[in-house]
Amino acid sequence: IYTSGTTGYPKGVVLSHQNMIRTMQRGTGALGIKPTDRSMAFLPWAHIFGQVCEVHGLVYTGASAGLIEDVTTLVDELSNVRPSLFFAVPRVYNKIYDRLNEQLKEKPAIYKLFQKGLRLAKAKREGQSLGAIDSFILFITDRLVFSKIRERFGGNLRAALSGASALSTEVQEFINDVGIPIY
């Protein structure tokens, strides 16, 4: 397999069939991928992350994938395919995060609630106990804002996966805190 060469000259690496099989066994087992799972395939299959996750991993487990013709329709297609798994590179998550923040900033009251909800979700995720008022605010934020974000991902995600480069802590925490576990 060869790198794209976007950061220099393309480089090649030899991966054995045994390497791919072990990757499938460990990765799909750790994620608990089942034949009933569905992905939204839009990554290039020549790229190792797309190949491992969307080709070999799904075939190995008997899961399925919705194929999209044009990546610019990704958000619209998510509601049609309703994937339970979402494989993407950090750039995709960053774009979703930036676009969502821009849209919410146009509605100051909702954006303020969104920011407060993220802080409370993070505190809860980190093991802090929330008082009654904060728990209620988090509940309302989840119903009014976070649930709509999850719905934009098709409303059926049980896991999102990021690979091929580093995902920023800020974006990773955002995805987790709106209720989508990301690995």
Side-chain angles (χ1 to χ4, degrees):
I1 291 181
Y2 290 88
T3 64
S4 64
T6 55
T7 59
Y9 291 107
K11 298 165 227 39
V13 63
V14 177
L15 296 176
S16 68
H17 290 91
Q18 188 67 21
N19 176 274
M20 296 298 275
I21 290 168
R22 292 277 187 253
T23 300
M24 295 314 102
Q25 289 171 333
R26 300 271 159 60
T28 58
L31 291 169
I33 298 177
K34 307 174 291 285
T36 55
D37 279 318
R38 181 176 34 247
S39 166
M40 170 74 103
F42 66 95
L43 295 171
W45 288 354
H47 190 287
I48 188 62
F49 186 56
Q51 198 174 113
V52 166
C53 296
E54 294 180 343
V55 178
H56 302 298
L58 295 178
V59 168
Y60 179 79
T61 59
S64 63
L67 304 174
I68 64 171
E69 192 173 319
D70 183 358
V71 75
T72 62
T73 65
L74 175 65
V75 174
D76 297 328
E77 293 295 339
L78 284 168
S79 61
N80 293 330
V81 174
R82 298 182 41 82
S84 55
L85 302 169
F86 187 71
F87 304 104
V89 294
R91 191 176 77 138
V92 171
Y93 292 110
N94 292 341
K95 283 186 175 190
I96 292 169
Y97 176 77
D98 292 341
R99 186 171 165 196
L100 182 63
N101 271 292
E102 287 173 16
Q103 291 171 345
L104 287 173
K105 283 180 182 176
E106 294 173 5
K107 302 170 186 169
I110 293 175
Y111 186 69
K112 186 176 178 180
L113 179 64
F114 170 68
Q115 292 296 314
K116 176 75 172 175
L118 287 177
R119 286 192 299 276
L120 293 172
K122 180 178 181 176
K124 184 177 179 181
R125 179 175 40 82
E126 291 177 346
Q128 297 177 28
S129 66
L130 302 179
I133 293 172
D134 285 342
S135 293
F136 181 71
I137 292 170
L138 183 56
F139 173 79
I140 293 299
T141 306
D142 187 68
R143 292 292 170 127
L144 297 177
V145 184
F146 295 170
S147 65
K148 289 180 176 57
I149 294 169
R150 290 191 301 269
E151 200 57 42
R152 294 289 290 175
F153 279 94
N156 193 37
L157 276 186
R158 65 177 187 79
L161 287 91
S162 179
S165 64
L167 180 64
S168 75
T169 302
E170 181 181 1
V171 174
Q172 178 183 355
E173 288 180 347
F174 155 74
I175 295 167
N176 270 315
D177 292 340
V178 299
I180 302 169
I182 186 159
Y183 302 94

